[in-house]
C-alpha cells in the first residue's frame, strides 16, 4: 500500500469514527500514528480536513468534499485489486452484531465456513438482542430481525424469520389447547418486551389479537425457558424452538394461524467506506441465508 492510499484509508476511518482514538482502536494502530498520517495527508493536500477541539472533531468543508471522493477512490482500488487477485487471502478484522439465538443456531456456523476460506480474517461478533449503535460501537455491520429503526442506515433484506407459537404439553393439559386466535384471551401469553407490537399478536391473515400474561422478558432464551417450564404460550422465531419441537418438550399452537414472519436485514452505516474483508463476509452471509430453508425469503 502506498503512503497516499494508506493515509486516505486512515482519514476515512477517523471521519467515520469521529474520533482519533476510536479510529486508532479500529485500525489497531497507535493514536500517534493515526494523527501523523492524517497530518501528512493534510500537508499533501494543502488543506485542513478536520476542525479539532479538545473534545471533538468534525470535517471541514474541504474534508467533507475529500471524504466523498476518498470513498469512491478506495472502492475503485479494492475492485481493481480484487479483479487481479481473486484468490488472494484477505486479512484484518470485521466487527458485526447479531441477535443471540440467531447467532447461536445459524450465524456462527456460517462464520466458521467463511473463516475456512479466509483464515486471516478475524471476526469480532457482538451478540445482543438490543440494537447496538453501529457508529459508536465501532461495528462494520449488523444482522437485525424486524423493523430497522435507523432510517439513515443502509439495509438489505437477506432473509425471513419464520415464527411459531408454542407451549408445553403440561401447560396445554392444564389450561386447554386454543382452537381459534380469540381463544388466546383466556391464556397466559408470554410477552417479548423488545417486540414493537407489544401485546398484539399478528397471526396470519387474522386481525391482530390482544393478549396478556404474567410473564415478560427481553430475551428469547428466557421466553423459551418459560414456555418449557409451563408458564404459558410463547411466540418467537422457529429456530429458537426447533429442537424442543422435535423432542416434544414444546408443541405448536394454532398451526393453521402461524404468527406473521419478520424480515431479516444486513445493516451498514450510511456513507462509510466498506473494506474488501467486510464486503466479503457480508456477501458470504447473504449467500448462506439464501441457502437456508428456515431463513431464506420466499
Amino acid at each position: 500500500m502506498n503512503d497516499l492510499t494508506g493515509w486516505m484509508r486512515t482519514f476515512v476511518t477517523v471521519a467515520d469514527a469521529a474520533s482519533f482514538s476510536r479510529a486508532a482502536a479500529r485500525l489497531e494502530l497507535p493514536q500517534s500514528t493515526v494523527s501523523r498520517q492524517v497530518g501528512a495527508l493534510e500537508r499533501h493536500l494543502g488543506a485542513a480536513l478536520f476542525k479539532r477541539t479538545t473534545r471533538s472533531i468534525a470535517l471541514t468543508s474541504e474534508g467533507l468534499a475529500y471524504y466523498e471522493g476518498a470513498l469512491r477512490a478506495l472502492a475503485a482500488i479494492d475492485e481493481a485489486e480484487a479483479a487481479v487477485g481473486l484468490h488472494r487471502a484477505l486479512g484484518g478484522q470485521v466487527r458485526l452484531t447479531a441477535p443471540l439465538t440467531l447467532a447461536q443456531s445459524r450465524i456462527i456456523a456460517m462464520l466458521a465456513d467463511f473463516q475456512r476460506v479466509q483464515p486471516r480474517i478475524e471476526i469480532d461478533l457482538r451478540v445482543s438482542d438490543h440494537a447496538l449503535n453501529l457508529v459508536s460501537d465501532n461495528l462494520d455491520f449488523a444482522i437485525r430481525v424486524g423493523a430497522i429503526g435507523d432510517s439513515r442506515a443502509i439495509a438489505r433484506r437477506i432473509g425471513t424469520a419464520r415464527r411459531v407459537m408454542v407451549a408445553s404439553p403440561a401447560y396445554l393439559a392444564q389450561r386447554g389447547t386454543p382452537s381459534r386466535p380469540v381463544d388466546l384471551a383466556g391464556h397466559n401469553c408470554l410477552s417479548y418486551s423488545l417486540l414493537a407490537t407489544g401485546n398484539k399478536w399478528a397471526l396470519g391473515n387474522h386481525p391482530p389479537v390482544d393478549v396478556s400474561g404474567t410473564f415478560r422478558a427481553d430475551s428469547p432464551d428466557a421466553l423459551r425457558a418459560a414456555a418449557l417450564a409451563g408458564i404459558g404460550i410463547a411466540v418467537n422465531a422457529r429456530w429458537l424452538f426447533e429442537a424442543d419441537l422435535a423432542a416434544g418438550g414444546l408443541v405448536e399452537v394454532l398451526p393453521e394461524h402461524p404468527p406473521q414472519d419478520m424480515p431479516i436485514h444486513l445493516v451498514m452505516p450510511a456513507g462509510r467506506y466498506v473494506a474488501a474483508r467486510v464486503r466479503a463476509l457480508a456477501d458470504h452471509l447473504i449467500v448462506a441465508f439464501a441457502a437456508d430453508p428456515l431463513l431464506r425469503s420466499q
Side-chain angles (χ1 to χ4, degrees):
M1 181 188 302
N2 62 43
D3 286 345
L4 181 57
T5 303
W7 298 342
M8 190 184 298
R9 292 188 192 278
T10 298
F11 159 72
V12 166
T13 305
V14 173
D16 286 339
S19 163
F20 279 88
S21 60
R22 286 196 294 269
R26 188 176 297 174
L27 292 166
E28 299 181 346
L29 292 172
Q31 186 172 334
S32 58
T33 300
V34 172
S35 297
R36 185 170 63 251
Q37 290 183 0
V38 171
L41 180 61
E42 289 179 319
R43 288 191 295 275
H44 170 78
L45 296 172
L49 300 175
F50 292 106
K51 301 173 188 173
R52 298 166 173 84
T53 70
T54 56
R55 298 194 174 194
S56 65
I57 63 169
L59 287 169
T60 62
S61 57
E62 293 84 359
L64 181 59
Y66 188 75
Y67 174 81
E68 294 172 352
L71 290 177
R72 294 191 295 270
L74 291 171
I77 290 170
D78 280 347
E79 288 176 9
E81 290 180 347
V84 296
L86 294 175
H87 302 294
R88 184 184 63 189
L90 299 171
Q93 186 178 78
V94 180
R95 299 176 176 88
L96 68 150
T97 181
L100 174 60
T101 58
L102 179 56
Q104 290 174 329
S105 67
R106 291 294 193 277
I107 292 177
I108 289 175
M110 297 175 184
L111 298 179
D113 289 340
F114 177 77
Q115 287 192 305
R116 279 189 278 272
V117 179
Q118 296 287 358
R120 294 181 57 238
I121 292 182
E122 300 175 10
I123 294 174
D124 184 350
L125 174 64
R126 299 276 302 276
V127 290
S128 175
D129 294 317
H130 296 265
L132 302 182
N133 186 292
L134 294 178
V135 175
S136 63
D137 288 313
N138 292 335
L139 296 165
D140 293 302
F141 65 87
I143 304 297
R144 289 189 174 150
V145 179
I148 304 300
D150 186 356
S151 60
R152 299 166 298 175
I154 299 171
R156 173 174 175 175
R157 182 164 181 171
I158 62 171
T160 298
R162 289 171 178 79
R163 299 196 299 157
V164 64
M165 186 186 315
V166 301
S168 71
Y171 173 86
L172 296 175
Q174 180 184 18
R175 299 288 298 271
T177 300
S179 59
R180 303 169 300 164
V182 294
D183 295 340
L184 293 172
H187 283 269
N188 196 35
C189 295
L190 312 180
S191 176
Y192 181 40
S193 57
L194 298 184
L195 192 64
T197 53
N199 290 332
K200 282 187 179 293
W201 286 4
L203 307 177
N205 295 322
H206 193 278
V209 177
D210 290 313
V211 299
S212 62
T214 61
F215 185 95
R216 64 187 288 117
D218 66 352
S219 160
D221 271 332
L223 292 182
R224 171 180 171 266
L228 285 167
I231 295 177
I233 298 174
V235 168
N236 215 282
R238 182 173 286 273
W239 65 69
L240 178 66
F241 303 122
E242 58 183 338
D244 302 309
L245 290 168
L250 295 172
V251 297
E252 190 169 355
V253 176
L254 292 176
E256 66 278 14
H257 297 284
Q260 287 184 358
D261 297 337
M262 300 184 74
I264 304 174
H265 290 91
L266 189 150
V267 184
M268 290 186 173
R272 177 182 292 180
Y273 160 68
V274 181
R277 63 183 179 275
V278 176
R279 192 180 306 278
L281 179 54
D283 289 345
H284 172 83
L285 291 177
I286 289 168
V287 171
F289 269 68
D292 190 318
L294 202 60
L295 298 177
R296 65 183 175 218
S297 298
Q298 297 293 345

